[in-house]
């Protein structure tokens, strides 16, 4: 009971301390999914105006999806030099549909600031399974110096049924992980208590299933982050996105409400009844022949608005290290070459390198945990020998590279020239095939040898 009392305080205090962080993580994800965005909560500036459009421009989604596709669009190749170990890893990837899980994990990581995944041994089959968890429901307790995870906690909504009344009520369930076992807690009556598990009979000894060993030598909950600051992909452009949504919505409000024009009547009075008639019939009847009705329009320069929105848009992509694919330079008809476009993608390329390195750190810890379970059998796998290969693709200007080939042909060994061409996967093999298809004239070789001998 004393231990349960202590754990209740730890769990309660941890959830309370994590509350602000959890709200921010969920808010970032809602921005990505567009479920909840700031512009949707904006109140009308003038309550007398009927139109209060709240238009969300999904920059957050575009930024996250662009980086996700660039870094994780191709399958991550996971290779171990030993065949038995490599087969085990391949089986694990296939059994868990890990490619799909990695894509989902990357989405959480880029949209929230970090992603999380838990591993468990499936009852009955003994197969190690993986499941992504929601970052705003996952708390890590790390060693500040080593960053090793000492404890992890996953909490989520749960329904419990009162055994006496049979009534269901909402609650919270907690999975508490240490380096040996996992414990399950339920919030009941305002306190977190150990969930009553199934009881197994072993002779005259009864053993509850809670807590239970998780079969790993480390905490089987892993954190994956895109950068050392755990910032989401659109963090540096958040205020720009909000400003763009506001300006864009206001401009459409002007169009919808005809706020850019006012009706002016001179030489006569228009009361409310007359105004309503005019609105319904589209015609005004003023008694004085000198009366005049005209429109007073605001002098709004559309080019000024367009330029402001364009500048904001460019800065959104600039500060998020991504590319505005709708700009004239990338949309069809641009005059830039593929080589020039490649340079414009360098920021995204460098951002991808950082994300790859930190995601690899998470993968390394992932397989450290997995191998601790696998190695309990006769199979022994050194997780440090596993290599991860990410494939990122930049635009290729084939014509430009063909010119390189033409200019250097005959001046450098053909195999060395092939190494400069991005579309050549195996320069050595291609050089061999080229030699077979283009046999050397032996007479020419003999002449060259004679010239070399004379010169010597």
């Amino acid at each position: 009971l004393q231990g349960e009392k202590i754990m209740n305080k730890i769990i309660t205090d941890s959830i309370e301390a994590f509350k602000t962080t959890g709200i921010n993580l969920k808010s970032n994800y809602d921005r990505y999914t567009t479920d909840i965005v700031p512009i949707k909560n904006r109140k009308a500036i003038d309550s007398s105006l009927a139109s209060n459009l709240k238009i969300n421009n999904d920059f957050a989604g575009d930024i996250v999806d662009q980086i996700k596709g660039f870094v994780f669009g191709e399958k991550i190749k996971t290779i171990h030099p030993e065949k038995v170990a490599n087969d085990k890893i391949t089986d694990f990837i296939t059994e868990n549909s890990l490619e799909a899980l990695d894509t989902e994990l990357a989405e959480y990581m880029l949209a929230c600031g970090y992603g999380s995944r838990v591993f468990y041994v499936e009852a009955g089959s003994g197969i190690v399974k993986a499941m992504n968890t929601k970052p705003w429901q996952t708390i890590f307790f790390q060693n500040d110096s080593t960053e090793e995870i000492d404890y992890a906690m996953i909490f989520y909504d749960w329904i419990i049924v009162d055994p006496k009344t049979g009534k269901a009520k909402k609650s919270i369930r907690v999975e508490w992980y240490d380096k040996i076992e996992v414990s399950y807690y339920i919030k009941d009556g305002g306190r977190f208590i150990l969930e009553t598990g199934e009881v197994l009979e072993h002779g005259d000894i009864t053993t509850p299933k809670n807590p239970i060993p998780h079969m790993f030598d480390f905490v089987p909950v892993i954190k994956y982050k895109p950068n050392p600051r755990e910032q989401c992909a659109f963090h540096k452009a958040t205020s720009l996105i909000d400003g763009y949504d506001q300006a864009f919505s206001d401009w459409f409000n002007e169009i919808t409400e005809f706020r850019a024009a006012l009706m002016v009547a001179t030489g006569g009075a228009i009361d409310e009844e007359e105004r309503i008639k005019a609105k319904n019939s589209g015609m005004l009847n003023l008694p004085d022949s000198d009366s005049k009705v005209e429109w007073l329009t605001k002098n709004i320069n559309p080019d000024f608005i367009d330029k402001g929105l364009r500048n904001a848009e460019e800065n959104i992509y600039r500060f998020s290290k991504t590319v505005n694919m709708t700009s004239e330079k990338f949309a069809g008809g641009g005059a830039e070459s593929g080589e020039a476009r490649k340079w414009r993608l360098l920021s995204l390329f460098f951002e991808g390198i950082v994300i790859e390195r930190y995601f690899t750190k998470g993968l390394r810890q992932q397989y450290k945990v997995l191998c601790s379970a696998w190695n309990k059998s006769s199979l022994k796998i050194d997780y440090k020998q596993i290599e991860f290969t990410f494939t990122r693709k930049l635009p290729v200007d084939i014509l430009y590279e063909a010119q390189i080939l033409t200019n250097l042909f005959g001046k450098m060994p053909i195999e060395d020239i092939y190494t400069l061409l991005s579309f050549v996967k195996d320069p050595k093999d291609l050089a061999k095939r080229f030699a077979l298809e283009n046999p050397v004239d032996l007479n020419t070789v003999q002449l060259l040898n004679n010239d070399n001998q004379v010169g010597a």
Side-chain angles (χ1 to χ4, degrees):
L1 290 176
Q2 183 64 23
E4 193 170 286
K5 184 177 180 180
I6 293 171
M7 284 305 301
N8 170 63
K9 181 169 176 54
I10 291 174
I11 293 171
T12 302
D13 290 351
S14 298
I15 292 177
E16 182 61 30
F18 184 72
K19 189 174 182 179
T20 300
T21 299
I23 290 173
N24 290 336
L25 292 169
K26 183 63 166 63
S27 175
N28 285 341
Y29 192 73
D30 286 340
R31 274 180 178 267
Y32 168 69
T33 60
T34 68
D35 288 338
I36 303 175
V37 289
I39 190 67
K40 299 294 185 183
N41 297 321
R42 189 179 71 153
K43 295 181 180 179
I45 299 173
D46 186 346
S47 59
S48 66
L49 299 172
S51 180
N52 180 30
L53 297 178
K54 304 171 184 179
I55 302 173
N56 171 54
N57 297 269
D58 189 23
F59 288 110
D62 192 25
I63 290 167
V64 168
D65 289 342
Q66 186 178 139
I67 298 176
K68 181 177 67 175
F70 184 65
V71 180
F72 301 95
E74 297 282 341
K75 178 175 69 173
I76 302 172
K77 294 181 181 178
T78 307
I79 304 295
H80 193 284
E82 297 177 7
K83 184 180 185 306
V84 175
N86 197 60
D87 290 345
K88 182 67 175 179
I89 293 170
T90 301
D91 288 344
F92 168 76
I93 291 172
T94 303
E95 288 165 352
N96 285 277
S97 301
L98 207 65
E99 293 173 31
L101 280 180
D102 283 346
T103 301
E104 181 188 56
L105 180 64
E107 187 175 289
Y108 279 131
M109 183 182 74
L110 295 170
C112 298
Y114 69 80
S116 48
R117 176 178 288 171
V118 62
F119 299 95
Y120 61 95
V121 178
E122 188 176 58
S125 69
I127 296 173
V128 177
K129 304 292 285 185
M131 181 178 72
N132 295 331
T133 66
K134 294 179 173 61
W136 55 90
Q137 295 178 346
T138 310
I139 304 176
F140 293 94
F141 303 84
Q142 294 178 252
N143 186 303
D144 291 337
S145 57
T146 64
E147 292 191 359
E148 184 175 350
I149 299 169
D150 294 323
Y151 304 96
M153 185 174 83
I154 305 170
F155 62 100
Y156 42 86
D157 293 336
W158 197 249
I159 300 295
I160 58 176
V161 179
D162 190 318
K164 295 180 180 178
T165 64
K167 292 183 178 180
K169 61 179 179 179
K170 291 183 179 180
S171 182
I172 297 175
R173 190 179 194 229
V174 169
E175 300 176 16
W176 178 271
Y177 293 85
D178 58 26
K179 295 181 180 180
I180 299 173
E181 58 191 12
V182 53
S183 305
Y184 299 91
Y185 292 85
I186 287 289
K187 190 172 187 179
D188 188 20
R191 297 179 68 254
F192 285 96
I193 61 174
L194 271 172
E195 184 179 31
T196 303
E198 179 185 349
V199 178
L200 301 178
E201 297 289 340
H202 298 282
D204 57 352
I205 301 174
T206 58
T207 307
K209 291 187 68 177
N210 186 23
I212 59 173
H214 52 56
M215 307 305 291
F216 302 96
D217 294 341
F218 309 93
V219 176
V221 188
I222 313 297
K223 176 189 279 189
Y224 307 78
K225 54 187 183 181
N227 51 63
R229 298 167 301 282
E230 297 183 7
Q231 293 177 342
C232 70
F234 49 86
H235 173 77
K236 295 180 180 179
T238 300
S239 59
L240 277 166
I241 294 171
D242 291 343
Y244 190 101
D245 283 348
Q246 183 172 329
F248 200 81
S249 298
D250 285 343
W251 175 240
F252 270 85
N253 282 332
E254 291 286 355
I255 297 172
T256 305
E257 283 282 349
F258 294 99
R259 294 182 201 171
L262 298 172
M263 181 181 289
V264 178
T266 57
I270 303 176
D271 57 21
E272 182 64 14
E273 183 180 353
E274 191 66 29
R275 188 189 68 81
I276 294 173
K277 287 181 180 179
K279 182 178 179 181
N280 294 332
S281 65
M283 183 174 62
L284 277 171
N285 183 19
L286 295 178
D288 194 335
S289 59
D290 294 329
S291 299
K292 183 172 65 173
V293 177
E294 58 187 353
W295 291 101
L296 176 65
T297 59
K298 294 179 184 178
N299 186 16
I300 298 177
N301 186 346
D303 292 335
F304 174 79
I305 296 172
D306 182 63
K307 185 175 181 180
L309 291 175
R310 282 178 179 272
N311 287 340
E313 189 173 319
E314 287 298 325
N315 281 339
I316 287 170
Y317 287 104
R318 173 188 170 194
F319 296 136
S320 62
K321 304 295 189 296
T322 49
V323 179
N324 184 1
M325 295 296 183
T326 62
S327 70
E328 294 178 359
K329 299 180 180 65
F330 283 88
E336 286 189 332
S337 65
E339 195 65 18
R341 292 180 181 181
K342 183 189 296 184
W343 283 96
R344 289 187 175 276
L345 285 169
L346 277 184
S347 291
L348 177 61
F349 187 79
F350 293 145
E351 184 74 4
I353 291 174
V354 173
I355 293 170
E356 176 187 324
R357 286 173 179 169
Y358 277 90
F359 193 79
T360 298
K361 184 178 180 180
L363 290 177
R364 192 77 62 196
Q365 180 65 23
Q366 167 181 305
Y367 282 97
K368 180 180 179 180
V369 169
L370 291 171
C371 288
S372 72
W374 292 336
N375 291 349
K376 286 180 170 59
S377 63
S378 58
L379 179 65
K380 300 298 178 185
I381 301 177
D382 183 0
Y383 76 92
K384 294 188 292 297
Q385 293 189 45
I386 300 174
E387 294 184 0
F388 308 99
T389 303
F390 294 72
T391 303
R392 297 186 302 273
K393 292 184 178 180
L394 289 171
V396 176
D397 191 335
I398 301 295
L399 178 60
Y400 173 76
E401 295 193 2
Q403 290 172 344
I404 292 177
L405 176 63
T406 302
N407 292 336
L408 295 180
F409 192 79
K411 299 176 183 178
M412 286 177 61
I414 190 67
E415 186 176 330
D416 291 344
I417 298 175
Y418 287 156
T419 62
L420 302 176
L421 307 179
S422 61
F423 53 86
V424 176
K425 304 301 180 184
D426 190 340
K428 189 173 184 178
D429 177 68
L430 184 59
K432 286 182 179 179
R433 289 194 286 117
F434 181 83
L436 290 174
E437 295 175 5
N438 300 274
V440 179
D441 187 342
L442 295 179
N443 292 327
T444 302
V445 172
Q446 184 63 43
L447 286 173
L448 288 172
N449 289 334
N450 292 337
D451 288 344
N452 289 337
Q453 290 172 4
V454 172

